[in-house]
Amino acid sequence: MQQQSTIPVVAEDVFATLADGSSVEILTAASTGLRSTSACIDNQSKKQYYVRLKRLVDMGLIEKQESFYRLTTFGLLVYENHFKAMAKLI
């Protein structure tokens, strides 16, 4: 089992991360199970992809389970309450 980050998550950091469209794409892909060997999403370089992926993991929004990245409970709450609700409004 991996150790969880001990850095406290600040709401402003979560919103800043979610303001980045590429991070949102990764989070959305993780909602259905993002293969850890997935190719870069949306024309990102490997470095950009892995920096964003690590940021989402460090914030506790996604976690690696076997060979997939999936939403954590916190990530699921954010995804369900913000993205799906926004999609209904738009």
Side-chain angles (χ1 to χ4, degrees):
M1 182 180 267
Q2 293 179 328
Q3 289 183 337
Q4 292 293 325
S5 174
T6 58
I7 300 170
V9 177
V10 180
E12 290 85 9
D13 293 338
V14 173
F15 288 124
T17 299
L18 298 178
D20 175 40
S22 297
S23 294
V24 170
E25 286 186 32
I26 295 170
L27 188 71
T28 301
S31 71
T32 58
L34 174 65
R35 200 173 255 300
S36 63
T37 58
S38 292
C40 298
I41 296 175
D42 189 34
N43 300 324
Q44 299 177 63
S45 69
K46 274 188 167 183
K47 182 175 181 174
Q48 291 171 328
Y49 173 75
Y50 284 109
V51 164
R52 287 179 173 101
L53 186 66
K54 182 179 181 331
R55 187 179 309 141
L56 291 167
V57 169
D58 289 346
M59 288 189 167
L61 293 168
I62 63 176
E63 65 185 356
K64 189 171 183 181
Q65 296 175 354
E66 297 178 16
S67 63
F68 290 93
Y69 284 95
R70 300 190 190 280
L71 296 176
T72 61
T73 303
F74 176 54
L76 184 62
L77 287 170
V78 169
Y79 182 75
E80 291 286 330
N81 291 318
H82 294 283
F83 294 121
K84 285 195 171 181
M86 255 203 262
K88 289 179 185 177
L89 294 174
I90 296 177

